[in-house]
Amino acid sequence: MKELKQIINECKELSFDLNFTRAKKWKEEKPGRVLVGYMPIYFPREIIHAAGGMPVGIFGGGDRKQIIKGDAYYQSYICHIPRSIMELALDKHMDHIDGFIFPSICDVIRNLSGIFKQHKLGKFVKYMDFPQNFLPQIGGVFYQQEMEHVLEYIKEINGVEVTTEKLNHSIELYNKNRQLISLIYDIRQEYPWRLSIEDVYHIVRAGTVIPVEEHNEILEQVCAHIKQNIGVPQDKIKVVISGAFCEQPAVGLIKAIEEAGCYVVDDDYMLGSRMILGDIDATTNKPLEAISNSYINQSQYSSSIYDVHNPKENRLAKIVKDRGANGVIFASASFCDPSLLDAPIFQNAFNKMGIRYIAFQYSENINQFKVIKEQVGAFSDSIKLWEDEPAAVSNINLTATDSCKH
Amino acid sequence: MSQEAQKEKSMILQKEMVEGLFNDLAQAKELGKKVCYTFIPGNLSELIRTFDMLPVYPEINALQSAMRKKSGGYIKEAEKNAHSEDVCTYVKCDVGMLMKGNIGPTGTKIPEPDVLLLSYTGCFTFMKWFETLKREYPNAKVIMVHTPYQENAKMTPQMVEYMVKQFKEEVIPQMEEVTGIKYDEAKLQRMLALSKEAEDWITKIFDTTKHKPSPIDAYFAGVYYIGPINIGFRGTEQAVEYYKELYNEIQERIRLGLGPITPEGEMKEEKYRLVVEGPPNWTSFREFWKIFYDMGAVIVASSYTKVGGVYDMGWRHDPSRPLESLAEYCMNCYTNLNIPQRIDLLSKCITEYQADGYVTNSIKSCNSFSAGQLGMMREIEDRLEVPVGFIESDLVDPRYFSYSNIKNRLESYFQMLAQRKMLEEQESQ
């Protein structure tokens, strides 16, 4: 078994390899292999795997890619991630990727799919319309048709016919993947000092650009390490991060939150890898239906899913309770409509529930964390110092929305 | 009859229709009518009317608030309540108006919804908007219609089937439950026949800009013309009558060789013919329009007048396939078209209406329109070699309308158009 430090370093390399070298190498190893890029947040990667392909997560360039050309495509008041993705495309970082999937996150990502079509990037461009109807016979059927459409595109490239057996096998692999990631979060809930949230982030993100089989091996090793009594506990509060479901914050920001006095015990970073809660049935003769049912019945809450029948504020409050967290940090990407439009819903509800929170915005290439650190530090101190005070009292001073806008 | 009198008749008709709707809304309880909040793009007016409900359009209330200079206060009210500066200002204006007592454009209180009918064609924010409203109106029934995006530039049979199933199994039964009225398909079909008729007229009306000078402005005046068809009168005799009248008035203008009517009277000389992409700014609508007509610029086509439905490509409601037709209508609204389709549609407008230029009014808080506009502009410029202009404003937030900046930019653009025209004239001599 590799040392934990070595695993983490390898994951760091992989997760920010903007040339997707491992994926490219995997494709070259065998004829007929296909790479399919998908944008945040969730995409049923199982179907690509079953079709002899490898799903490749494209989450923008973070703070590792200077945006020059991409800025010519998006006005200043549009979030950062589409311009970063365009920069990657125009600089040919993704030339070996065969097709691109744009899940229905928001209007920006939707229209980005059109810009990819306009530029004829990849062999196919698919806007994947996730149903907002949650009846299996209506939305579920539509979702299966959407997945079949993706499979048709791949078949046109490699001729692979997807079978029930292949799909069930792929589902099993991704079930394993989700179980292991879940285990990491469960262990960290009790022992967050054993693995920093920055390391968790790199480990999970690496899984989006390498074969799932390899990622499962990495996760198993990580779990084995953190089951041991390693690290030294520190006096930090426990928090849940919410709002970062699509455009990812710079790693420096993720790190800054823990450094400022918080253990992040749950989050929505890389939400797509954790979107399905629990296993998908890998034993049926209708695996696409099983995937569809999992989306309908087992999805994590998200700003991109219509929620009135299962309100998101209650679901987040349950996560806070189950994780034993002291509060919530709402961290939204600037100009992110879905996340920012959710903010009043969450905050009004949490004021009533007495759950403490702070809120700020970021962009993927932000590199000044001082203000955020101060704000998070004050939040952490206030909880430590005034634990018994009613939450609303501390919220008045601490809900400094937009304080670190840029 | 003089042309002034003819113009007035269509305006009076529209005024009566809108006032009638708001009066009915003010007395909804007394009239025993249920109230349905919904949106313009992909609006299911005919279905709402089939169940005898009264429609409320939150985005129309927002734009009316802006024109009455009330949106700034409403937006600030919402921002005080954790709404971000960065998001859709229609939403914030609506939420702010709600917080301030929900007094609508005519000064009467807008009744609370019995139904929140969410047909979120082409705008993801609509979904978030109704999530917010559901928390404000917990007793309202939320009926969701998911409209698939035309991602591959077509409406497939599966997409239609998906929507029809939603109508049959979710929308109609829930509307029956709320209203106590049984679904009457024959009634819906009669309305759809009238919708088709109104759509024929509105297509003919917007097609009159082929004339030189154009008898109408298809953007600034166009937003008034699309009013009745967008705010719940599609499928009524009133709408057909209004559009017939309007068409006749425009024909008279063509016969007399007249240009468009502006707030300051008739435009004397048509110097530039433009196609505009993006919604207008509502807080400074008159000043914004004035910049154009002062320069002799007439808008011969706009994408904004197609948000409630794209009819100029030949699509019509079809009474013989009522629910399928409603599904196709929802999918065929402008912002539900993908970017290449939008480019093709705008290119067709530029070519067919012989436009001299193309202007994008990029709206800060409307990603559905704005994301991708720069790429569209570049493609249109390359494809048609037409001069393109770019300005930025907002829907209903007065803080984001900078008169001087917009005027400066447009003046530079018009200078470019003037030089180009001069060169073309020289070359042709």
Side-chain angles (χ1 to χ4, degrees):
Chain A
M1 189 164 73
K2 286 180 185 171
E3 291 294 318
L4 184 57
K5 199 173 175 187
Q6 189 191 344
I7 296 171
I8 290 165
N9 284 339
E10 285 172 8
C11 287
K12 264 187 191 177
E13 284 285 313
L14 286 165
S15 51
F16 280 94
D17 173 11
L18 301 184
N19 291 313
F20 306 97
T21 314
R22 177 67 192 100
K24 190 177 180 184
K25 189 166 172 282
W26 176 87
K27 182 181 168 180
E28 286 165 356
E29 281 165 0
K30 204 169 162 186
R33 284 183 167 178
V34 172
L35 295 180
V36 178
Y38 67 94
M39 310 298 151
I41 52 169
Y42 168 69
F43 171 70
R45 293 177 289 172
E46 293 86 343
I47 63 170
I48 304 294
H49 184 272
M54 181 175 146
V56 180
I58 297 166
F59 297 88
D63 56 355
R64 322 291 166 101
K65 180 79 183 163
Q66 196 186 354
I67 307 302
I68 298 163
K69 303 180 190 89
D71 278 345
Y73 282 81
Y74 291 95
Q75 299 91 315
S76 57
Y77 37 77
I78 289 173
C79 61
H80 204 269
I81 192 166
R83 66 193 78 223
S84 162
I85 290 174
M86 279 308 291
E87 193 80 20
L88 291 175
L90 296 171
D91 276 355
K92 303 189 178 304
H93 289 268
M94 305 190 293
D95 274 9
H96 49 292
I97 295 180
D98 296 282
F100 296 95
I101 308 279
F102 295 80
S104 49
I105 303 169
C106 67
D107 298 326
V108 171
I109 295 293
R110 185 197 68 191
N111 288 4
L112 179 63
S113 73
I115 297 293
F116 265 57
K117 275 184 191 282
Q118 186 196 339
H119 284 265
K120 298 186 170 50
L121 295 166
K123 295 186 179 87
F124 70 87
V125 172
K126 164 78 182 163
Y127 175 76
M128 181 115 176
D129 218 342
F130 286 96
Q132 298 289 358
N133 176 291
F134 298 97
L135 293 177
Q137 75 276 18
I138 303 177
V141 169
F142 175 74
Y143 185 27
Q144 289 171 57
Q145 288 162 351
E146 286 289 278
M147 288 190 279
E148 281 162 7
H149 191 198
V150 173
L151 292 174
E152 281 165 24
Y153 276 130
I154 301 173
K155 193 178 166 187
E156 278 172 23
I157 299 170
N158 67 2
V160 169
E161 192 74 56
V162 170
T163 63
T164 300
E165 291 70 30
K166 283 179 188 168
L167 274 164
N168 279 335
H169 173 62
S170 303
I171 290 171
E172 270 177 12
L173 286 169
Y174 280 96
N175 279 344
K176 181 84 180 161
N177 194 263
R178 283 184 288 266
Q179 287 162 13
L180 290 165
I181 293 172
S182 187
L183 182 56
I184 291 174
Y185 276 81
D186 287 346
I187 295 170
R188 284 191 78 256
Q189 183 186 330
E190 292 297 316
Y191 311 104
W193 52 87
R194 291 185 184 174
L195 192 68
S196 74
I197 191 64
E198 180 197 359
D199 294 337
V200 175
Y201 181 78
H202 283 127
I203 290 163
V204 178
R205 182 158 170 163
T208 65
V209 290
I210 62 175
V212 64
E213 295 86 346
E214 283 178 27
H215 193 231
N216 284 349
E217 282 174 25
I218 289 172
L219 292 172
E220 276 178 342
Q221 292 187 33
V222 169
C223 287
H225 279 292
I226 64 170
K227 280 177 185 169
Q228 309 300 314
N229 186 15
I230 55 171
V232 180
Q234 291 178 337
D235 182 24
K236 294 180 181 181
I237 63 161
K238 288 182 178 177
V239 297
V240 174
I241 304 270
S242 180
F245 72 107
C246 170
E247 180 178 320
Q248 301 293 296
V251 173
L253 190 148
I254 295 171
K255 196 175 167 182
I257 290 171
E258 284 202 335
E259 283 178 354
C262 299
Y263 282 127
V264 178
V265 289
D266 215 324
D267 60 72
D268 57 2
Y269 302 141
M270 310 302 305
L271 182 61
S273 300
R274 308 172 59 210
M275 187 81 175
I276 302 299
L277 303 171
D279 287 350
I280 302 176
D281 189 348
T283 60
T284 75
N285 56 6
K286 289 180 178 172
L288 289 184
E289 189 178 284
I291 294 172
S292 163
N293 285 339
S294 74
Y295 169 80
I296 287 171
N297 301 315
Q298 296 164 230
S299 289
Q300 181 57 282
Y301 82 86
S302 153
S303 292
S304 64
I305 294 179
Y306 191 60
D307 81 328
V308 294
H309 303 299
N310 193 0
K312 57 178 79 78
E313 58 272 37
N314 297 342
R315 300 179 73 180
L316 180 54
K318 187 172 184 309
I319 292 173
V320 173
K321 184 169 174 273
D322 291 350
R323 292 289 187 205
N326 306 91
V328 175
I329 295 179
F330 292 108
S332 306
S334 291
F335 302 106
C336 174
D337 268 7
S339 181
L340 292 171
L341 284 161
D342 272 353
I345 292 174
F346 280 125
Q347 294 178 20
N348 288 335
F350 281 17
N351 285 340
K352 287 178 194 153
M353 292 178 196
I355 297 174
R356 292 175 170 87
Y357 61 86
I358 54 168
F360 57 77
Q361 293 179 35
Y362 64 84
S363 76
E364 62 174 342
N365 63 347
I366 188 174
N367 54 21
Q368 293 290 332
F369 311 117
K370 197 166 178 295
V371 179
I372 289 172
K373 256 187 167 175
E374 282 170 7
Q375 199 180 353
V376 172
F379 180 57
S380 163
D381 289 346
S382 74
I383 286 176
K384 278 188 251 172
L385 293 170
W386 295 294
E387 244 174 338
D388 301 327
E389 290 288 319
V393 174
S394 38
N395 285 340
I396 292 166
N397 296 323
L398 292 167
T399 310
T401 310
D402 299 352
S403 69
C404 55
K405 222 181 219 177
H406 43 90
Chain B
M1 194 184 282
S2 77
Q3 63 98 55
E4 282 301 318
Q6 283 177 334
K7 176 178 79 75
E8 273 184 359
K9 192 173 174 193
S10 72
M11 286 177 75
I12 290 165
L13 280 174
Q14 178 166 163
K15 197 164 176 267
E16 285 172 357
M17 290 158 83
V18 174
E19 277 179 1
L21 175 61
F22 278 97
N23 286 341
D24 285 352
L25 280 168
Q27 302 173 60
K29 276 235 162 71
E30 291 85 339
L31 295 169
K33 298 215 172 192
K34 300 293 181 187
V35 174
C36 175
Y37 284 23
T38 191
F39 294 110
I40 298 294
N43 72 79
L44 298 168
S45 295
E46 300 88 347
L47 202 57
I48 293 168
R49 281 188 177 270
T50 300
F51 287 97
D52 212 16
M53 289 192 279
L54 295 172
V56 170
Y57 299 91
E59 76 267 49
I60 295 293
N61 292 338
L63 78 84
Q64 295 272 12
S65 295
M67 292 181 103
R68 291 180 304 129
K69 309 291 181 199
K70 285 183 175 289
S71 57
Y74 291 154
I75 288 167
K76 279 181 193 160
E77 192 66 28
E79 287 177 359
K80 273 192 235 164
N81 193 36
H83 283 263
S84 166
E85 265 185 42
D86 295 345
V87 301
C88 173
T89 49
Y90 272 169
V91 178
K92 286 187 289 185
C93 186
D94 183 45
V95 169
M97 188 175 97
L98 172 68
M99 288 170 172
K100 291 279 192 184
N102 224 18
I103 305 300
T106 53
T108 54
K109 188 172 162 56
I110 306 273
E112 292 200 0
D114 298 289
V115 171
L116 294 167
L117 174 60
L118 173 53
S119 166
Y120 80 100
T121 300
C123 173
F124 211 83
T125 297
F126 284 161
M127 197 175 87
K128 312 304 296 176
W129 194 342
F130 269 25
E131 283 182 355
T132 300
L133 288 190
K134 174 61 185 169
R135 281 147 179 98
E136 299 293 337
Y137 301 115
N139 297 325
K141 185 174 276 293
V142 178
I143 307 177
M144 149 71 95
V145 185
H146 175 203
T147 302
Y149 183 56
Q150 284 207 45
E151 63 104 10
N152 226 6
K154 59 183 177 190
M155 297 181 272
T156 65
Q158 288 86 359
M159 287 155 74
V160 175
E161 190 190 350
Y162 172 49
M163 290 201 72
V164 169
K165 271 202 265 180
Q166 292 182 73
F167 294 144
K168 282 184 177 168
E169 295 185 36
E170 298 243 70
V171 180
I172 290 172
Q174 292 186 82
M175 283 185 164
E176 284 181 329
E177 193 189 320
V178 172
T179 60
I181 295 170
K182 192 148 177 53
Y183 171 58
D184 179 349
E185 191 152 284
K187 187 177 174 187
L188 177 65
Q189 285 174 311
R190 286 194 295 276
M191 287 186 202
L192 293 177
L194 289 167
S195 296
K196 180 181 178 299
E197 206 177 332
E199 287 154 7
D200 284 340
W201 284 113
I202 204 157
T203 306
K204 286 168 81 170
I205 286 164
F206 281 119
D207 216 32
T208 60
T209 61
K210 279 181 180 161
H211 289 273
K212 288 186 180 179
S214 170
I216 60 167
D217 186 290
Y219 184 52
F220 294 105
V223 300
Y224 292 103
Y225 302 151
I226 58 167
I229 208 165
N230 277 357
I231 63 159
F233 293 98
R234 208 182 50 232
T236 66
E237 296 277 6
Q238 283 170 294
V240 173
E241 192 191 339
Y242 167 78
Y243 286 115
K244 264 188 198 169
E245 185 57 41
L246 179 62
Y247 181 72
N248 289 337
E249 288 168 7
I250 294 168
Q251 285 303 309
E252 182 64 5
R253 297 189 66 74
I254 292 169
R255 194 182 68 77
L256 298 170
L258 298 173
I261 305 272
T262 74
E264 294 179 51
E266 228 150 65
M267 202 166 95
K268 298 295 174 211
E269 188 190 359
E270 176 185 289
K271 285 188 189 164
Y272 310 111
R273 297 165 64 84
L274 303 176
V275 168
V276 173
E277 149 74 8
N281 166 273
W282 299 109
T283 54
S284 304
F285 187 81
R286 284 284 173 90
E287 297 96 303
F288 189 33
W289 188 354
K290 185 171 164 54
I291 299 172
F292 285 85
Y293 65 70
D294 276 354
M295 297 302 299
V298 61
I299 316 303
V300 291
S302 69
S303 57
Y304 184 69
T305 50
K306 303 176 202 306
V307 287
V310 176
Y311 307 114
D312 41 353
M313 311 298 278
W315 186 88
R316 294 291 182 274
H317 279 96
D318 179 357
S320 69
R321 307 163 52 244
L323 297 182
E324 290 79 1
S325 185
L326 287 178
E328 287 168 0
Y329 161 72
C330 290
M331 288 189 276
N332 209 25
C333 293
Y334 179 73
T335 50
N336 207 57
L337 308 181
N338 76 3
I339 296 286
Q341 281 175 297
R342 281 167 64 175
I343 292 170
D344 288 344
L345 178 58
L346 289 161
S347 299
K348 179 177 173 284
C349 290
I350 292 166
T351 308
E352 289 193 356
Y353 300 124
Q354 297 178 60
D356 303 304
Y358 168 76
V359 172
T360 297
N361 180 31
S362 178
I363 293 294
K364 175 185 178 280
S365 65
C366 183
N367 285 337
S368 184
F369 260 102
S370 302
Q373 277 176 330
L374 294 174
M376 288 166 61
M377 203 167 77
R378 190 175 301 134
E379 172 80 22
I380 287 170
E381 187 177 28
D382 290 349
R383 194 187 287 184
L384 302 176
E385 294 182 350
V386 64
V388 297
F390 183 80
I391 49 175
E392 294 173 318
S393 65
D394 189 54
L395 294 166
V396 293
D397 191 338
R399 295 171 298 188
Y400 293 102
F401 183 82
S402 168
Y403 179 78
S404 311
N405 282 347
I406 288 176
K407 191 163 189 287
N408 283 345
R409 278 206 182 195
L410 283 172
E411 278 177 354
S412 306
Y413 179 65
F414 289 127
Q415 278 174 15
M416 185 170 73
L417 285 179
Q419 281 175 351
R420 191 181 163 103
K421 277 210 160 187
M422 198 172 68
L423 284 172
E424 280 170 359
E425 277 167 16
Q426 281 172 358
E427 276 171 19
S428 66
Q429 280 165 7

